[in-house]
Structure formats: C-alpha cells, structure tokens
C-alpha cells in the first residue's frame, strides 16, 4: 500500500505541474484543471483530471497497477476536435469525472457548404455539378448524449437551406402552363450564360451520431424540407447587352425528405444528402436532389 502511494505521489509531481504553460518530452502540463480525482487501493493508483484552461470537456486518466514487484501504467487523453461554431451545454452535469461529456445535453449550431449533383434527371437536362451549390445552416440543434463518454448522441435541429441547380449549355428553364417547369433551347441570337432553378426550404433534422474516437465519427438520419420558395433565373447576352430573366411561383414539391450521412474523418467534417423525392411536382422537369460537401 505504501509503495502504491509513493508511486502515485511521484506521478502527480511529474505530470501535474499546473503552473507551467507547455508540454515537453514526457511531461504533461494541464493548466487550471476543473477537478482532480485520485483513487487508491492495495494494488491500484488511478488519477483522473477533468477540464483544463479553455476546455471544460478535456479528460486525462492514468492508472498505475502493481503486478508482483513491478507496475503497469495506462494513460488516456481526450482528443482535441474542431469547434468552429458555438455550443452551449445544458441539463444537469454528470458526476463521473472520467466522462468526456460532462452534460447530458447541448445546444449547438452548424453550417454546410457543398455542391448539388441531381440524379434521375430528365433526358433534356444537363446540370453542371460544380457550378450548382447548396448552402444550409442548422440554426439550433439539440444534442442529447446517450452515454457517459459522449460517444453516442441523438440530434434534433431546425434550420434553413438554399439549393441551386444550374445548366450552362444552350438549354434554358422556363415556366409553362400551370407553373410547370420545362426546358427549351436558347434562341440562336442569344449568348447563353446559365439557367438555374433555386429552392429555399425550412428544415427539421433528426439524426443519430456515433463518435468512434481518434477524429472519426458517423451520423445518419432524415432531414425534412419545407420548400417555401422556388424560382428560375436565366442570364444571357443579346446584342451585347446583359439580360437577366426571373420567373417565380414554379411548382416545387412543398415537402421533401433527404437522407443525410455526415462523417468526420481526421476531424474534417463531410456530408452527403440524397432525396427519393423529385424536386418539382409532376408535369415539370424531373430530377432528384443529391448534394455533398463540408458540414461544420
């Protein structure tokens, strides 16, 4: 027992020099920890550090186990991760000092930027993927942690989404009878620039996410889009003059559902979204939405 205590005291002196400002060689420096817990038994010495300066979610754990006349040491440190957007921890704090997530819930915000690559496209249409884009934001998301280490969580959020489906060849979108969207060729005297469909939506998300650690995580779930606005914009030149033509109240589907897969690889976040629903109602040009990009 005395030997274990001596080992523990030596460990604390070497590794928890809280007044220093950097870590060098085999010395770990933790400035201003929130809580330090030391657990001792006849054959075990365990030190758990929760929180550090500027990072309440930081967790450090070291276990020294006496085996015959020797000892084994095991160390774990929570990995840093991107936090480009703000988050607010809510709910009661957990009592487990080894937890990576001290709280049962958090309120977060997220931002996505990517490209649209439609599928099941009408034969008359040729979209330009890398000139068609998607911008969306989850303005408020509730994250509920299902375990003490914060590895599994359920996410529910509300947000907004803009999607742009663009053609850059000699075809243009136009609104036909009843608001249905069709396509036709630019007149010969026109110099085409682009023709695009834009859809704006209010969104509601439900997703499950698992964090595997080491900068790798996967989430999946539906995104319900309430498509409140859609329009056509066409730009071209005629006799040297720049012309912009806009048509509104096209017949977009009022509600569509995307299936969203988000991944974090080496702490770099990506997303992929696909919908089984046509973007426009029956009677117009047919295509479904697929998009991909960064999700912060």
């Amino acid at each position: 027992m005395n030997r274990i205590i001596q080992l523990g005291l030596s460990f604390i002196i070497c590794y928890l020099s809280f007044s220093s400002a950097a870590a060098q060689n085999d010395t770990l420096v933790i400035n201003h920890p929130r809580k330090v817990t030391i657990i001792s038994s006849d054959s075990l010495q365990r030190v758990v550090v929760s929180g550090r300066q500027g990072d309440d979610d930081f967790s450090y754990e070291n276990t020294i186990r006496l085996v015959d006349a020797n000892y084994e040491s095991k160390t774990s440190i929570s990995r840093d991760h991107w936090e480009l957007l703000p988050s607010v921890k809510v709910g009661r704090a957990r009592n487990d000092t080894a937890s990576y997530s001290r709280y049962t819930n958090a309120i977060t915000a997220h931002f996505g930027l990517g490209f649209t690559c439609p599928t099941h496209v009408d034969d008359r249409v040729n979209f330009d993927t890398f000139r068609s884009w998607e911008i969306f934001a989850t303005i408020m998301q509730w994250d509920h942690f299902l375990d003490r280490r914060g590895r599994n969580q359920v996410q529910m959020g509300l947000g907004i989404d803009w999607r742009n489906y663009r053609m850059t060849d000699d075809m243009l979108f136009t609104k036909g009878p009843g608001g249905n969207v069709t396509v036709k060729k630019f007149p010969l005297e026109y110099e085409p620039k682009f023709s695009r469909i834009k859809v704006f939506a209010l969104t509601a998300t439900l997703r499950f996410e698992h964090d595997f650690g080491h900068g790798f995580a996967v989430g999946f779930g539906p995104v319900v889009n309430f498509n409140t606005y859609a329009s056509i914009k066409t730009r071209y030149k005629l006799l040297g003059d720049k012309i912009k033509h806009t048509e509104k109240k096209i017949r977009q589907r009022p509600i569509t559902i995307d299936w969203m897969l988000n991944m974090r690889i080496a702490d770099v976040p990506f997303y992929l979204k696909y919908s089984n629903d046509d973007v426009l109602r029956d009677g117009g040009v047919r295509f479904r939405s697929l998009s991909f990009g960064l999700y912060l």
Side-chain angles (χ1 to χ4, degrees):
M1 179 69 177
N2 290 333
R3 180 166 184 175
I4 293 295
I5 294 176
Q6 291 174 359
L7 289 172
L9 291 175
S10 298
F11 166 78
I12 295 170
I13 292 172
C14 292
Y15 287 90
L16 301 182
S17 303
F18 299 126
S19 60
S20 300
Q24 297 180 358
N25 300 327
D26 294 330
T27 300
L28 175 66
V29 178
I30 306 174
N31 291 320
H32 306 297
R34 177 176 49 81
K35 188 174 183 180
V36 178
T37 303
I38 302 173
I39 303 170
S40 300
S41 66
D42 290 340
S43 61
L44 183 71
Q45 177 81 47
R46 183 184 179 204
V47 177
V48 178
V49 180
S50 299
R52 64 180 174 182
Q53 186 175 15
D55 186 0
D56 286 343
D57 292 333
F58 175 81
S59 177
Y60 172 87
E61 181 176 334
N62 183 277
T63 302
I64 299 174
R65 187 183 304 275
L66 184 64
V67 180
D68 297 328
N70 300 311
Y71 70 90
E72 298 176 351
S73 178
K74 181 179 180 182
T75 302
S76 67
I77 304 176
S78 64
R79 182 181 177 90
D80 293 339
H81 55 278
W82 288 17
E83 287 194 9
L84 301 180
L85 295 175
S87 63
V88 178
K89 304 295 173 59
V90 297
R92 61 180 182 84
R94 299 187 185 278
N95 294 324
D96 185 356
T97 57
S99 173
Y100 282 19
S101 175
R102 293 180 55 229
Y103 293 82
T104 56
N105 303 288
I107 301 296
T108 58
H110 301 273
F111 177 77
L113 177 63
F115 301 101
T116 59
C117 180
T119 66
H120 298 76
V121 180
D122 190 299
D123 293 338
R124 299 168 292 171
V125 178
N126 185 22
F127 288 107
D128 189 339
T129 295
F130 292 102
R131 298 191 66 183
S132 303
W133 44 260
E134 177 182 37
I135 298 175
F136 66 97
T138 304
I139 298 172
M140 184 177 67
Q141 179 172 289
W142 175 62
D143 302 330
H144 177 66
F145 301 104
L146 301 176
D147 60 288
R148 293 186 178 277
R149 293 174 64 86
R151 296 292 195 188
N152 299 287
Q153 56 180 287
V154 174
Q155 304 167 345
M156 291 187 289
L158 299 174
I160 52 179
D161 184 291
W162 291 268
R163 285 185 236 203
N164 180 306
Y165 308 95
R166 180 178 298 211
M167 296 189 299
T168 56
D169 55 12
D170 60 350
M171 303 294 289
L172 63 89
F173 293 111
T174 185
K175 186 171 74 170
N180 291 331
V181 176
T182 187
V183 293
K184 67 179 184 180
K185 279 186 173 291
F186 276 99
L188 292 177
E189 64 272 22
Y190 288 15
E191 184 181 339
K193 185 175 182 182
F194 70 81
S195 185
R196 65 99 176 110
I197 293 173
K198 179 177 71 176
V199 180
F200 172 80
L202 303 175
T203 63
T205 64
L206 174 63
R207 187 164 56 251
F208 172 81
E209 182 173 302
H210 177 72
D211 188 344
F212 294 90
H214 306 291
F216 178 61
V218 175
F220 182 75
V223 181
V224 180
N225 304 292
F226 300 93
N227 302 305
T228 60
Y229 175 84
S231 67
I232 296 171
K233 179 187 286 185
T234 301
R235 287 185 178 271
Y236 56 92
K237 283 186 177 181
L238 178 61
L239 301 177
D241 294 328
K242 294 181 179 179
I243 308 295
K244 178 180 72 173
H245 180 65
T246 302
E247 295 179 284
K248 302 179 180 180
K249 296 183 179 180
I250 62 176
R251 298 185 71 242
Q252 79 275 13
R253 287 191 179 274
I255 299 176
T256 56
I257 298 177
D258 296 323
W259 294 98
M260 178 172 172
L261 173 70
N262 64 286
M263 300 182 66
R264 196 170 69 246
I265 302 175
D267 279 332
V268 180
F270 303 93
Y271 82 91
L272 174 70
K273 290 199 290 186
Y274 174 72
S275 176
N276 290 319
D277 303 314
D278 289 331
V279 174
L280 303 176
R281 296 186 186 184
D282 294 339
V285 172
R286 300 193 65 178
F287 62 93
R288 298 177 185 177
S289 180
L290 183 147
S291 58
F292 60 92
L294 293 175
Y295 179 63
L296 306 179

